Amino acid sequence: MVLPANIPAKHNAYFLPYQMAWINDDSRFKIVEKSRRVGMTYAQSYEDVRDAAKQDGMDVWFSSADESAAAEYILYCQQWAQLFDAAAEYLGEVVIDSDKDIKALSIKFSSGKRIHALSSNPKAFRSKGGKLVLDEFAFHKQPEEMWKAAIPIITWGYPVRVLSTYNGQGNRYFRMVTDAKKAQAVAGSKSGRWSLHTITIEMAIAQGLVTKILGHAASEQERLDFFADCKAAAGDEETFQQEYMCVPVDEASAWLTWDLITSAEHADAGVPALYQGGDCYIGVDIGRRHDLFVIWVDEKVGDVYWTREVVKLKNASFAEQDAALDRVFDYYKVRRACIDQTGIGEKPVEDAKIRHGNYKVEGILFTGPVKQHLATIIKQVFEDKKTRTPIDKAIRESHHAVRKLTTIAGNPRFDADRTEVGHADEFWAHALAVHAAEDMMQPAAGATVDNDSTIYLPSRLQTRQSTRLFGRT
C-alpha cells in the first residue's frame, strides 16, 4: 500500500494547522511542549497508522503514562486505518514478553507491521525495534529508566516522537525541551537533534480549536468563554500556566507545597462571625499601588491559629488603611500586631503605635534574614497542622508563590514574582501574624527604654543580629 508522506488534501478537514504542521514534519527527532487536550495524541496516531500501514512501513511502539490513554490511542488508530482503507486487524491485548509479563494493545496491518500501545514499564521496551512514541512523557513513573530502555528501539534509523505537557522542572522531558530551545536559539528551528513544536491553549484557540469542538464557527465570545473555562478548570494561575501555557513550574523551589497549603484550609476559617473572643494576633503587609494592603487576623484556639479575617485593599488611601486596621483592633482582642515597616511602611507603623500603643504594635523591616525567619515559622505551623486558613484561591496562590532561592553567595532568599494581584502579600501578612503569636516580645537584655517605646526582641532570637533586625526604629 502506497501512502503519501504528507497529509493529502482530502484529509485536511480532520486537522487544525498546528496538528498538520506536526504530522508533516518529517524530522527523525520531534518533540512537542503542549497544552492539555489540544488533540496531539489524535494527530500522532494518524502519523503512526500511515507509517505502519505503508509497504515499507515500520513497527510502532507507543507508550503513555496510563492504560486509559493507551486504549484511547488505539481507538484513534482503528479510525485512521478505516480512513486509509488499510487492511488491519485489532489483536486486542497480546503478550509480547511472557517472561516479564509484558502486554500491549496491538493492531496488525497487511504490511506485516504492528502498532503496540504499552504501559510505561521500562522493561517493555527491551529488545524491540521500530518507531518510538512517548506520550505525556513528563508523567511517566520512571522517565529516566524509560528513556534508557526505549532509545535503543530507534538504533537502526527509526524516528522518535515525544509529546507532553509539563510536569515541573528537573525531569528528563524538561531537559530535552530546554536543550531543543537552546539549539534553536543558536542556529534556527532546524538545528540540533530535536525539531521542537510549541502549542499553548491560546495558539490552539487561535487556530480553530473551539470551532472544532463546537462543530460550528466559534464567535469571539465563545472563544473567550472557552479560555476562561480552561483557567477555571486549572484552579490556580500556576497550574494554568503549566497545564495550558507551556510554562513549567518548579515545585521543588516552592516553599509551601500545594498539599501543605490545601491541608490547612477549612470552611470555618476567615469568618469573623465565628470569632470566639480569644487572643488575636495580627500581621499587616503594607501595599499601596502595585501590591495589596493585607491585614491577617489569627485567633489562637488551643495550639491552633484560626484565621478569623483577611482584609485586602488595593489602591486604598493611607487613611482607608488606618481605618481598616482600627476596625480590626476594635473588633478583636488584639495581643500583638506585627506590621511591615519596609519602605512606605514607616509612617503607618509610627501612626499605629500612637493609636494602639507601642506594647501592641511592632514594626518589622523586611531584610533577608527577617524574611527567612518569617518563612520558616509559617512553614512550621503548616507542617505541624497548627493553622486553619480560608478556602480561597487568591490566598492559596499567594502562599504557593513564595520560592526559596539561593544567591550567588550561597545565601537563601525568599521571594515571589509580582503579578497583577500582588507580591505574595497574603503570605507575608500571614507570616507576620504567626510571628506576632509565636515570638511574644520580651524585653531584651541591655535594651534601652525611652519616653515613647521599649525595644523588644523575639524570645527565640535574642542575639546581636536580631536586635538589629527586629528592634524598633
Side-chain angles (χ1 to χ4, degrees):
M1 183 177 185
V2 179
L3 296 179
N6 291 332
I7 302 174
K10 64 181 181 179
H11 293 174
N12 285 350
Y14 292 97
F15 302 105
L16 297 171
Y18 61 86
Q19 294 170 315
M20 295 173 65
W22 174 260
I23 296 170
N24 289 333
D25 182 354
D26 61 358
S27 302
R28 185 183 174 203
F29 294 87
K30 291 196 302 189
I31 189 168
V32 59
E33 53 175 357
K34 67 180 186 66
S35 165
R36 293 176 56 186
R37 309 307 297 175
V38 291
M40 289 306 293
T41 304
Y42 172 84
Q44 183 59 47
S45 63
Y46 177 95
E47 179 192 294
D48 296 340
V49 169
R50 182 195 64 191
D51 289 349
K54 60 188 179 181
Q55 291 176 354
D56 58 343
M58 62 189 78
D59 288 328
V60 177
W61 299 90
F62 172 94
S63 177
S64 194
D66 59 67
E67 293 181 1
S68 63
E72 183 180 42
Y73 166 81
I74 286 293
L75 287 176
Y76 290 150
C77 289
Q78 290 177 283
Q79 294 170 9
W80 296 131
Q82 292 178 359
L83 181 69
F84 281 121
D85 195 23
E89 178 186 2
Y90 175 53
L91 303 178
E93 187 176 70
V94 300
V95 177
I96 61 174
D97 192 326
S98 57
D99 292 338
K100 298 173 182 173
D101 192 28
I102 302 298
K103 299 176 182 179
L105 299 175
S106 298
I107 298 176
K108 182 179 180 181
F109 294 87
S110 59
S111 64
K113 302 303 180 182
R114 299 186 183 193
I115 291 178
H116 303 281
L118 304 91
S119 71
S120 59
N121 184 346
K123 296 179 182 179
F125 288 91
R126 296 291 181 185
S127 304
K128 307 300 186 299
K131 179 181 181 180
L132 173 64
V133 181
L134 298 175
D135 189 42
E136 291 298 357
F137 185 45
F139 293 87
H140 282 233
K141 294 178 181 178
Q142 299 173 281
E144 297 292 341
E145 293 303 314
M146 171 66 76
W147 183 251
K148 293 176 184 177
I151 199 61
I153 287 176
I154 67 167
T155 301
W156 286 9
Y158 294 110
V160 59
R161 309 290 183 245
V162 179
L163 308 85
S164 193
T165 51
Y166 280 110
N167 185 21
Q169 299 180 16
N171 53 60
R172 177 169 283 278
Y173 171 74
F174 171 78
R175 296 197 302 273
M176 290 163 70
V177 174
T178 300
D179 289 344
K181 288 182 176 180
K182 289 179 180 177
Q184 282 191 357
V186 171
S189 61
K190 288 294 183 180
S191 66
R193 165 176 286 188
W194 293 100
S195 175
L196 173 66
H197 294 242
T198 300
I199 306 160
T200 67
I201 195 65
E202 285 185 322
M203 294 168 60
I205 292 172
Q207 294 184 36
L209 179 63
V210 183
T211 291
K212 191 77 170 177
I213 292 172
L214 297 179
H216 65 258
S219 67
E220 178 63 20
Q221 188 58 52
E222 286 173 324
R223 290 192 292 270
L224 291 173
D225 289 344
F226 181 83
F227 184 79
D229 287 344
C230 290
K231 292 198 74 169
D236 58 78
E237 181 64 22
E238 196 166 66
T239 300
F240 173 73
Q241 289 295 323
Q242 175 161 263
E243 297 286 335
Y244 292 95
M245 299 301 291
C246 302
V247 179
V249 172
D250 186 4
E251 178 72 4
S253 69
W255 185 238
L256 300 179
T257 66
W258 290 120
D259 288 344
L260 202 58
I261 295 165
T262 57
S263 67
E265 293 181 342
H266 197 286
D268 292 343
V271 182
L274 297 180
Y275 171 47
Q276 299 182 13
D279 290 343
C280 289
Y281 303 89
I282 293 175
V284 184
D285 190 49
I286 302 291
R288 183 66 172 82
R289 289 188 175 85
H290 302 296
D291 300 329
L292 296 175
F293 170 84
V294 180
I295 303 173
W296 192 287
V297 183
D298 271 350
E299 179 186 11
K300 192 168 186 179
V301 182
D303 63 348
V304 176
Y305 299 114
W306 278 85
T307 304
R308 290 305 178 205
E309 187 173 357
V310 181
V311 179
K312 295 189 280 188
L313 302 175
K314 184 157 188 182
N315 294 323
S317 66
F318 287 117
E320 291 172 316
Q321 295 178 7
D322 289 346
L325 184 61
D326 292 346
R327 179 191 63 77
V328 167
F329 264 89
D330 289 341
Y331 186 79
Y332 300 98
K333 181 183 175 182
V334 179
R335 287 291 305 277
R336 182 170 174 232
C338 288
I339 304 177
D340 168 21
Q341 190 173 322
T342 313
I344 61 172
E346 289 284 354
K347 189 175 188 303
V349 169
E350 182 179 313
D351 292 344
K353 287 179 179 180
I354 293 172
R355 298 196 310 277
H356 303 290
N358 288 299
Y359 63 96
K360 283 189 175 181
V361 176
E362 180 74 13
I364 304 295
L365 294 173
F366 271 18
T367 62
V370 168
K371 293 176 79 172
Q372 180 179 355
H373 169 71
L374 294 175
T376 300
I377 60 173
I378 193 173
K379 186 171 187 176
Q380 191 64 58
V381 297
F382 271 96
E383 291 178 340
D384 293 344
K385 311 297 183 186
K386 291 183 178 180
T387 184
R388 302 291 184 271
T389 59
I391 303 172
D392 181 274
K393 176 182 175 182
I395 289 174
R396 191 181 304 130
E397 290 184 6
S398 173
H399 281 66
H400 191 256
V402 174
R403 296 281 188 266
K404 181 182 179 181
L405 308 172
T406 303
T407 67
I408 295 176
N411 299 316
R413 182 170 67 87
F414 294 85
D415 208 349
D417 292 335
R418 178 171 276 106
T419 68
E420 294 178 356
V421 294
H423 194 213
D425 308 304
E426 295 96 327
F427 172 90
W428 292 116
H430 189 187
L432 286 167
V434 172
H435 171 66
E438 289 284 286
D439 289 311
M440 284 297 292
M441 296 297 187
Q442 299 295 330
T448 60
V449 180
D450 57 27
N451 293 331
D452 296 318
S453 62
T454 302
I455 297 177
Y456 296 101
L457 296 175
S459 57
R460 297 181 189 172
L461 299 175
Q462 289 188 13
T463 65
R464 184 179 301 274
Q465 181 188 55
S466 61
T467 302
R468 187 169 64 254
L469 298 178
F470 287 91
R472 294 177 183 170
T473 57

